[in-house]
Amino acid sequence: MLSHTEENYLKALLKLSFESKSEEAGTNELAANLAVKPATATDMLKKLKEKGLVDYEKYGKISLTAVGKTSAIDIVRKHRLWETFLYSTLEFTWDEVHEVAEQLEHIQSAKLIDKLDKFLNYPQFDPHGDPIPNQKGEIKTQFKKTLAEIAAGKACRMVAVKDNSKSFLQYVVKVGLGLHHDIKVLTRQEYDALMEIKVNGIKSSITQKFAENIYVVCSNCAAGKPCTETIDCKQ
Amino acid sequence: MLSHTEENYLKALLKLSFESKSEEAGTNELAANLAVKPATATDMLKKLKEKGLVDYEKYGKISLTAVGKTSAIDIVRKHRLWETFLYSTLEFTWDEVHEVAEQLEHIQSAKLIDKLDKFLNYPQFDPHGDPIPNQKGEIKTQFKKTLAEIAAGKACRMVAVKDNSKSFLQYVVKVGLGLHHDIKVLTRQEYDALMEIKVNGIKSSITQKFAENIYVVCSNCAAGKPCTETIDCKQ
DNA sequence: AAAATTTGTTAGACTAGTCTAACTTTAATA
DNA sequence: TATTAAAGTTAGACTAGTCTAACAAATTTT
Ligand SMILES: [Mn+2]
Ligand SMILES: [Mn+2]
Ligand SMILES: [Mn+2]
Ligand SMILES: [Mn+2]
């Protein structure tokens, strides 16, 4: 049985493993992610190593063991299913769900999660477009680009967000954007990459920083036609 | 902000206050209820007193302050709404809900509970027949008797259970009983109060201990007719 | 009323999780 | 390569919550 705190460390390590191609993390990075001091993280890493959940040697890089990864994915599954429940069933907005799901993800009951999954009709993605791991712990990886990579004149469809912060999510709505919205890139400035886009007939100017936090697939893939990009967006 | 543990102490004190007419509790009693040692309860009582949640003097009786009671009722509200959700929406059985609700009741989000309440269509009673406090903290008290008090030859309807343990709840189902079932008391032995009852045409023998844990209202009240008992069952 | 029992408190210790301050190792850079 | 900077660890301390063992107060019984 894992404590609340241990679960949060595993989840943070999983997140960091997705963010680095080596699938490894550092102590400071981990500590920053959990809003604790590095000394605290070191202590916990010793415990998690002892429990066989992480691979870790003093002064070395950190990675999850198979067992640790399975636990971490299970927590992510719970988090995203709860977010989906809050959004779809209880009509929370997409910027409200994360905070509550952070608590709900620690509820221990396999039956609860399976029943919830069934009730929600086995959703594939959460309200932020992130994939929901299935019962086996498999995660559907969707190939996607950021809006910042889309050339002027091209069209695409928004499928997820990178930044999950309340302020960003509210800003996205304010600009008239949202998941599954079609976006036309009108112009892009050479100097600072400021883009002009059109969504539902409305034009907006967005910065590069903003565009880098919006995930899209190319217009053809979104429409179910053969992909015209080098990667298959929907693979 | 109350900790998980503090909330459990308040909830236990509320429960004990309902069980004694003086609405007071003792340290040992409290400790037993929470499965901790009396020394532990004493320590916590000092803290709760400090926070203004309980009235307590060394070697004296314990009671909740108005603030403490409000918090405790809020936790009970959450517990019972979650039990209702698990039972009605996710199809848990009535002996499975309590354990999970013990965890869910600590989730901090007023919005979540209000939305859940609305989603469930403002239920009045949980799967065990216990009243769900409303948003204002008001609890509907239903006048009811135990099955053990019903005379031979009389009919009644089951409205709640006293014992919430898994084993009792499963036993109730096995006997063919359940909430809202009509019960006819056929016989009662003078010697040991063993009762014979009929439910849905099926006869069963039940002990006094069992009967004391089943709450009923008299047949007339159940049918919406004037009450024939000294108290108004449905008051 | 005295003795015995029950009830409740205190003192001291332990674990989980956190911190600060000092220190060590590794990596980067001059 | 020697120095500096960054990353990571250790030591010691703190809080919340728990325990045991010894003690004190209140209640019940004789
Ligand atoms: Mn989230
Ligand atoms: Mn999400
Ligand atoms: Mn319950
Ligand atoms: Mn209940």
Side-chain angles (χ1 to χ4, degrees):
Chain A
M1 184 100 314
L2 298 173
S3 75
H4 227 255
T5 312
E6 289 168 332
E7 289 192 339
N8 283 334
Y9 277 83
L10 294 183
K11 192 166 56 120
L13 284 170
L14 183 69
K15 184 182 170 199
L16 292 175
S17 83
F18 283 132
E19 287 172 4
S20 86
K21 51 219 70 182
S22 69
E23 300 203 3
E24 291 177 320
T27 303
N28 286 358
E29 201 181 15
L30 174 61
N33 223 272
L34 290 160
V36 298
K37 301 296 171 185
T40 308
T42 300
D43 285 348
M44 181 57 85
L45 285 169
K46 287 179 189 166
K47 197 203 294 183
L48 294 176
K49 185 194 172 174
E50 204 52 47
K51 289 197 171 189
L53 297 164
V54 302
D55 285 323
Y56 163 70
E57 294 302 332
K58 207 197 256 193
Y59 293 109
K61 286 294 170 185
I62 311 150
S63 62
L64 291 166
T65 62
V67 174
K69 189 174 179 183
T70 299
S71 296
I73 288 176
D74 187 52
I75 301 160
V76 168
R77 170 169 156 80
K78 292 197 275 181
H79 182 99
R80 292 181 182 167
L81 279 173
W82 279 118
E83 284 191 344
T84 304
F85 170 73
L86 295 172
Y87 183 80
S88 303
T89 307
L90 298 191
E91 301 180 290
F92 275 60
T93 54
W94 78 338
D95 57 299
E96 295 172 326
V97 298
H98 177 76
E99 201 180 326
V100 183
E102 284 288 299
Q103 299 179 62
L104 288 163
E105 71 190 6
H106 299 293
I107 303 293
Q108 308 280 182
S109 169
K111 184 163 201 163
L112 172 56
I113 287 306
D114 292 344
K115 292 271 196 183
L116 192 64
D117 196 17
K118 184 180 180 186
F119 173 74
L120 296 170
N121 203 24
Y122 309 102
Q124 309 254 354
F125 299 96
D126 82 4
H128 309 110
D130 289 316
I132 299 174
N134 67 16
Q135 235 166 336
K136 292 177 187 164
E138 295 159 344
I139 306 177
K140 186 162 292 180
T141 51
Q142 190 188 28
F143 283 79
K144 49 197 189 289
K145 302 184 163 188
T146 72
L147 180 51
E149 298 171 75
I150 306 301
K154 292 221 170 186
C156 57
R157 174 172 288 188
M158 179 171 169
V159 293
V161 287
K162 193 170 192 175
D163 183 351
N164 274 26
S165 73
K166 199 163 233 172
S167 59
F168 177 68
L169 295 175
Q170 289 176 346
Y171 188 18
V172 168
V173 172
K174 205 169 156 196
V175 170
L177 265 171
L179 290 198
H180 317 308
H181 284 43
D182 287 309
I183 304 170
K184 180 78 188 274
V185 177
L186 302 175
T187 62
R188 158 188 262 119
Q189 295 302 319
E190 185 67 35
Y191 177 64
D192 56 7
L194 184 73
M195 295 168 81
E196 199 181 15
I197 60 172
K198 192 163 84 176
V199 182
N200 288 327
I202 297 164
K203 291 179 188 174
S204 304
S205 288
I206 62 173
T207 63
Q208 177 157 42
K209 182 182 175 187
F210 183 95
E212 281 168 349
N213 283 296
I214 304 280
Y215 283 122
V216 297
V217 292
C218 78
S219 212
N220 279 340
C221 279
K225 294 180 206 159
C227 185
T228 55
E229 306 292 327
T230 48
I231 55 160
D232 183 352
C233 297
K234 298 179 86 182
Q235 184 179 331
Chain B
M1 182 98 319
L2 298 173
S3 74
H4 226 254
T5 312
E6 288 168 333
E7 289 192 339
N8 284 334
Y9 277 83
L10 295 182
K11 191 165 57 117
L13 284 169
L14 184 69
K15 185 184 171 197
L16 292 174
S17 84
F18 284 133
E19 288 171 5
S20 87
K21 50 219 69 175
S22 68
E23 300 204 2
E24 290 177 321
T27 304
N28 287 358
E29 200 181 16
L30 175 61
N33 223 272
L34 290 160
V36 298
K37 302 295 168 186
T40 308
T42 300
D43 284 349
M44 182 57 86
L45 285 169
K46 287 179 190 166
K47 198 203 295 183
L48 294 176
K49 184 193 174 175
E50 203 52 46
K51 288 196 172 189
L53 298 165
V54 301
D55 285 323
Y56 162 71
E57 293 302 333
K58 210 197 258 196
Y59 292 108
K61 286 295 170 187
I62 311 150
S63 61
L64 290 167
T65 62
V67 175
K69 189 173 179 185
T70 300
S71 296
I73 288 175
D74 187 51
I75 301 160
V76 169
R77 170 170 156 81
K78 292 197 274 180
H79 183 99
R80 294 181 180 166
L81 279 174
W82 278 118
E83 283 191 343
T84 304
F85 170 73
L86 294 173
Y87 183 80
S88 303
T89 307
L90 297 191
E91 302 179 288
F92 274 59
T93 54
W94 77 340
D95 57 299
E96 295 172 326
V97 299
H98 178 76
E99 199 180 326
V100 183
E102 285 288 300
Q103 298 179 61
L104 287 163
E105 72 191 4
H106 300 293
I107 302 293
Q108 309 279 184
S109 169
K111 183 162 202 165
L112 172 57
I113 287 305
D114 292 344
K115 292 271 194 180
L116 192 64
D117 196 17
K118 184 180 181 187
F119 173 73
L120 296 170
N121 203 24
Y122 308 102
Q124 309 253 355
F125 299 97
D126 81 4
H128 309 110
D130 290 317
I132 299 173
N134 67 16
Q135 234 166 337
K136 291 176 186 163
E138 297 159 343
I139 305 178
K140 185 163 295 180
T141 52
Q142 189 187 26
F143 284 80
K144 51 195 187 289
K145 301 183 162 190
T146 72
L147 180 51
E149 298 173 76
I150 307 301
K154 291 222 171 186
C156 58
R157 175 172 289 188
M158 178 169 168
V159 294
V161 287
K162 194 171 191 175
D163 182 351
N164 274 25
S165 72
K166 197 164 233 173
S167 59
F168 177 69
L169 295 175
Q170 288 174 348
Y171 189 18
V172 169
V173 172
K174 207 170 154 191
V175 170
L177 266 171
L179 289 198
H180 317 308
H181 284 43
D182 287 311
I183 304 170
K184 180 80 188 276
V185 177
L186 302 176
T187 63
R188 158 188 261 119
Q189 296 302 321
E190 185 67 36
Y191 177 65
D192 57 6
L194 184 73
M195 295 170 82
E196 199 181 14
I197 60 172
K198 191 162 84 173
V199 182
N200 288 327
I202 296 165
K203 292 178 187 174
S204 304
S205 289
I206 62 172
T207 63
Q208 178 156 41
K209 183 181 174 188
F210 183 94
E212 282 170 348
N213 283 297
I214 304 280
Y215 283 122
V216 297
V217 293
C218 79
S219 215
N220 279 340
C221 278
K225 293 181 206 156
C227 186
T228 55
E229 309 290 330
T230 48
I231 56 163
D232 183 350
C233 297
K234 298 179 86 181
Q235 187 177 324

